[in-house]
Structures are given as structure tokens and as C-alpha cells.
């Protein structure tokens, strides 16, 4: 599914140039659950932006489902995102004073899905993210942190993405709520076959994945299998 080769990313130019990624290569197959781990500033978010087709690398190639996306224009990248990718961020980006159901339907409005289908697909993904029907009419600003993140997951799922990218999805949650959100990702991976790439600076969060790639200063330090539930 994902094949990146010698990816570099440089911000700025000349004296101010900062190389956030210095040649990163890996392959992620369909159905994997991978954590990308590393301390703050190691290039995780930069890498996620590239994997998520939100940005292109300075050099190197990125094949997503066999297509070279590393040199695409913005409008082509937007199409790929709409078709294939669901995002979950640390800052949840839900619309306040808007119902749970409507928040999740929003991406479908942009995608041009008709109203009847929108509602049905939004409720399916809300249920898959572990919410119940009673939550659907709640306003997003009336929810707890854990519920909000589940809505954010449901919203990421609603366009039926083959790839879910989550950047520090438990960063704003207490550890117990974080665990529940992480087990939601595990379920989506195991039961629905979603490919999940989870970005984190915390070992205990990465431990939920079946493979852990560690970044340090823009390069891969290690890439190994993990048995979920175990802290290595
Ligand atoms: N838009 C940007 N412009 C300039 N420098 C950036 C930008 N985004 C990130 N950086 C720098 O790139 C490096 C990697 O950042 P980032 O990918 O956000 O790391 P992480 O997510 O692991 O904390 C850091 O030194 C950061 O300051
Ligand atoms: Mg980051």
C-alpha cells in the first residue's frame, strides 16, 4: 500500500534551511497497524503530512497503492485524500455547537454524497467508533474528551478510507480514556482490516501497534515487529 524511498523534507532555504526528514524508506502493507514513534522534533508530523498527501517530499518517491503521489499537484492530492485517507489529529477539530451526527456527515457533504446516504454512513461509522445512538444528537461541545475523540475517529472513517493516519490521537486524553481510544484503533484494524498508522512520542501508546518504526532526527532508528499489549 505505502512505499516510500529516500524521502527528504527541507523547510526553508539557504541559511535557514532545516532538513526535517533526511532519507526515510519503508513499505507498509495493507492491513498493518504501525506506530511511528520518536521524540518531539524527530520529524513524525512531517512524515505524516507526506504519507497523508497533505504535503509532498523535497526529494524521494512515495507510491500509494502503486501510484506515484510524490510529485502530484494539490488538486490531485486532494482527490487521493478524499478517496483513501482518514485523519485523526490531537486537536480534534470538531465543529462546536454542532451535533455529533452532523460533524461526522460533514466530509460526505464535501465529497458530494446525497443526504440519505450521508446519514446512514455517518451512523454506521459512529457505531464502529464505539458510540451509541443516544450520542448522535448531542452537541460536540457537550462531550467528554474520549467521546470527542471517538467522534473524530468516526469522522475519519466515514469516507471508508483504506488508510487511517492518527497524529498523537491520545495526546489530550487521560491515560484510561487514551487506552479506550487505542483499543478502538486496534478493533478497526483487526475487524475491519483498516491499515492504521499511529504517530506518537510515547512508548506505551506505540505498544498497541504490531510494528514500531522509530524516528530520530529525521532518520529511521529502528523498525521492528511488536506484540500488542507488551511494552518492549
Ligand atoms: N512548517 C514548518 N516550517 C519550518 N520548520 C518546521 C515546520 N514543521 C516542522 N518544522 C521543523 O521540522 C522538525 C520536525 O518537526 P515535526 O515533523 O513537527 O516533528 P514531530 O512531529 O516529531 O515533533 C522540527 O525541527 C520542526 O521545528
Ligand atoms: Mg508532531
Amino acid at each position: 500500500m505505502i512505499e516510500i524511498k529516500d524521502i527528504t523534507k527541507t523547510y526553508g532555504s539557504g541559511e535557514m534551511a532545516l532538513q526535517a526528514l533526511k532519507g526515510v524508506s519503508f513499505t507498509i502493507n495493507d492491513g498493518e497497524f504501525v506506530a511511528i514513534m520518536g521524540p518531539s522534533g524527530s520529524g513524525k508530523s512531517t512524515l505524516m503530512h507526506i504519507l497523508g498527501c497533505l504535503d509532498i517530499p523535497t526529494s524521494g518517491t512515495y507510491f500509494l497503492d502503486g501510484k506515484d503521489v510524490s510529485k502530484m499537484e494539490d488538486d490531485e492530492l486532494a482527490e487521493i485524500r478524499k478517496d483513501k485517507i482518514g485523519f485523526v489529529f490531537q486537536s480534534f477539530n470538531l465543529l462546536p455547537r454542532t451535533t455529533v451526527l452532523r460533524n461526522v456527515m460533514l466530509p460526505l457533504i464535501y465529497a458530494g454524497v446525497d443526504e440519505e446516504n450521508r446519514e446512514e454512513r455517518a451512523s454506521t461509522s459512529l457505531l464502529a467508533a464505539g458510540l451509541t445512538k443516544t450520542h448522535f444528537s448531542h452537541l460536540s461541545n457537550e462531550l467528554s474528551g474520549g467521546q470527542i475523540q471517538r467522534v473524530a475517529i468516526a469522522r475519519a472513517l466515514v469516507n471508508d478510507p483504506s488508510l487511517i493516519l492518527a497524529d498523537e490521537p491520545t495526546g489530550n486524553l487521560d491515560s484510561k480514556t487514551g487506552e479506550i481510544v487505542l483499543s478502538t484503533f486496534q478493533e478497526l484494524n483487526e475487524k475491519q482490516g483498516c491499515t492504521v498508522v499511529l504517530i506518537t512520542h510515547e512508548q506505551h501508546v506505540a505498544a498497541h501497534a504490531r510494528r514500531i518504526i522509530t524516528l530520530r532526527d529525521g532518520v529511521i532508528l529502528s523498525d521492528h515487529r511488536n506484540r500488542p499489549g507488551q511494552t518492549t
Side-chain angles (χ1 to χ4, degrees), residues 137-226:
S137 58
H138 289 184
L139 302 182
S140 62
N141 48 313
E142 298 170 344
L143 303 173
S144 69
Q147 288 170 336
I148 289 174
Q149 195 56 301
R150 281 171 185 265
V151 178
I153 294 171
R155 193 182 48 183
L157 289 174
V158 79
N159 62 342
D160 203 16
S162 42
L163 172 63
I164 297 176
L165 289 174
D167 195 356
E168 307 273 1
T170 60
N172 288 332
L173 304 175
D174 64 74
S175 58
K176 195 167 163 213
T177 313
E179 285 295 314
I180 297 171
V181 164
L182 289 168
S183 52
T184 309
F185 284 114
Q186 276 175 324
E187 257 178 58
L188 291 169
N189 172 251
E190 283 163 20
K191 296 195 183 141
Q192 310 213 12
C194 294
T195 307
V196 179
V197 177
L198 172 69
I199 287 166
T200 182
H201 64 277
E202 294 179 290
Q203 174 72 51
H204 73 91
V205 173
H208 288 76
R210 283 186 279 150
R211 173 180 170 193
I212 302 177
I213 297 173
T214 307
L215 271 186
R216 187 72 44 94
D217 291 331
V219 294
I220 294 181
L221 201 64
S222 66
D223 181 348
H224 62 83
R225 309 247 136 240
N226 177 54

